[in-house]
Amino acid sequence: MNDFVLATAPPQPNVYGPITPSRMFERASRLLRENFKLFFGIVLILIGVEIVFGGILGGSGFWMGRSMAGAAPLARILVLAPAVLVGAVLLFILIQIIQGALFIATQAKLANAPMTVGESCKLAAEKAGRLIGISLLVALRTIGYLLLFYLACAALAVIVALMFGGFSHAAGVMPFRFGHMPSLGVGIFIVLFLLVLFVLYLVALLWLIARYALSIPVALAENLSVAESIRRSIHLSSGSRGRLYALFLGVFGVYLVMAVVTVPMQLLIVHGAHVHPSPVIGATGMLLAVFRILVSAIIVAFIGIATALCYFDLRVRKEGFGAAVIPQQPAPPQAGWPASTDMPAGDVPLA
């Protein structure tokens, strides 16, 4: 009997994943670098609208300061309130469209499909109602969870205070006296307690962000309703939020570094403008503001790309999304048997 060896071509790598956290950062950076005009152009729309809106509000405030110099501050606020409200609503809608456009552009580039800034924004705008609904419902859920967290912290603080007061009363010690600072031990305990609560708050906030981060990608890729998209995001990310945690912690670290570098410079510029106003200080302040805007725009684009990669990665891991199916090769015929037969199984061919 001859031995048959089946030569099979190696499967093509899945462009959608799976990926490690380091691979996620590398792929998001590469996509942003190779398609910088596309992704930065999408975010630039939002930046341009924000600058125009800020300029309108600033000009309106300056005009009101000249024409309504004798009016009460409350009257000025009431005059500007409608414009601020309309602008905030329009910006909120635009932010949802930009988030959707970033996902659509990332999806197209993963599939090597052509995509432009206008096309991605147009496709996202067609789903604007659903994206707005998702953002509003996520905001309500987030506020509800944070309120529960605040109530739990308040209850814990009351319990700790009662226990501390009871122990102090039993020991005959007064840790607090009016007009006096608390003792060193009490002060250290309060600082550590507040620090623990702050860390717990950051952990809860990170959990909430990762829990709902895939809602917009789900709505666009799977065409689900508002509630179904949120439930799908929770289900898809359940037990596999490591890459999302890494993404948002990394972004938080970048923002922290930028704040450490730019905030002291900004304070020095503001102080210098009050003490010795000059065109050089004003130009330096403008350059610093432009730098912060550009870095923020790049970060927003990076978050949009990386979130899309995390969405596809989870679908690959949990559902085999995008994996190439290798067709089963027919078994080779045995020696002395015909290559094919219509005889039912179990029948023996005639000699």
Side-chain angles (χ1 to χ4, degrees):
M1 182 183 296
N2 297 328
D3 293 331
F4 293 89
V5 179
L6 294 179
T8 59
Q12 295 295 325
N14 191 350
V15 296
Y16 298 104
I19 54 176
T20 61
S22 59
R23 179 65 174 164
M24 180 264 295
F25 282 104
E26 189 273 331
R27 289 194 68 185
S29 301
R30 180 166 54 83
L31 283 172
L32 178 59
R33 183 175 63 254
E34 295 176 353
N35 306 278
F36 187 78
K37 291 182 179 180
L38 173 61
F39 293 109
F40 189 76
I42 294 173
V43 181
L44 195 61
I45 297 175
L46 178 60
I47 295 175
V49 173
E50 289 180 342
I51 293 175
V52 171
F53 178 62
I56 293 174
L57 286 183
S60 301
F62 178 78
W63 174 80
M64 289 178 58
R66 299 292 299 271
S67 61
M68 302 177 63
L74 181 60
R76 301 180 186 180
I77 294 175
L78 292 177
V79 172
L80 281 178
V84 173
L85 180 61
V86 172
V89 171
L90 293 178
L91 280 177
F92 176 77
I93 296 173
L94 183 59
I95 289 172
Q96 313 316 314
I97 295 175
I98 295 302
Q99 288 182 351
L102 288 172
F103 173 79
I104 291 172
T106 304
Q107 185 181 31
K109 290 306 172 181
L110 288 176
N112 291 323
M115 181 60 62
T116 64
V117 174
E119 290 173 349
S120 59
C121 292
K122 179 179 179 295
L123 292 173
E126 294 175 354
K127 305 289 185 179
R130 189 174 304 176
L131 302 182
I132 293 169
I134 290 173
S135 297
L136 290 176
L137 187 55
V138 167
L140 290 176
R141 288 190 173 206
T142 303
I143 292 172
Y145 276 112
L146 291 180
L147 286 177
L148 291 176
F149 178 81
Y150 296 148
L151 291 175
C153 290
L156 180 61
V158 170
I159 293 173
V160 171
L162 291 176
M163 293 177 58
F164 194 85
F167 292 148
S168 301
H169 179 73
V173 179
M174 293 184 61
F176 297 99
R177 289 183 296 174
F178 292 104
H180 296 274
M181 294 292 293
S183 63
L184 179 61
V186 174
I188 294 176
F189 176 80
I190 293 175
V191 171
L192 291 177
F193 181 74
L194 294 177
L195 182 61
V196 169
L197 291 182
F198 179 71
V199 172
L200 290 177
Y201 172 77
L202 292 181
V203 171
L205 193 61
L206 181 62
W207 176 77
L208 286 172
I209 293 174
R211 178 181 172 91
Y212 301 120
L214 305 180
S215 299
I216 287 180
V218 164
L220 294 173
E222 304 178 34
N223 197 28
L224 299 179
S225 64
V226 172
E228 290 174 341
S229 298
I230 294 176
R231 286 195 294 268
R232 171 70 167 158
S233 174
I234 297 171
H235 171 74
L236 197 60
S237 62
S238 178
S240 303
R241 298 192 177 109
R243 286 150 194 79
L244 292 170
Y245 290 149
L247 169 62
F248 294 114
L249 285 175
V251 170
F252 175 76
V254 173
Y255 272 117
L256 185 61
V257 171
M258 186 173 65
V260 169
V261 173
T262 60
V263 169
M265 296 178 60
Q266 189 173 4
L267 293 176
L268 290 175
I269 291 172
V270 172
H271 177 72
H274 284 290
V275 177
H276 300 290
S278 66
V280 176
I281 294 178
T284 305
M286 289 293 295
L287 290 176
L288 184 61
V290 170
F291 171 76
R292 292 172 64 97
I293 291 174
L294 292 178
V295 173
S296 298
I298 294 174
I299 292 175
V300 169
F302 182 86
I303 292 175
I305 298 170
T307 303
L309 294 178
C310 290
Y311 163 75
F312 288 117
D313 170 78
L314 288 175
R315 289 200 64 185
V316 170
R317 292 175 181 274
K318 294 189 174 184
E319 302 169 353
F321 178 79
V325 179
I326 303 176
Q328 296 292 334
Q329 297 290 338
Q334 298 182 6
W337 286 66
S340 63
T341 178
D342 296 330
M343 297 170 56
D347 289 354
V348 180
L350 297 177

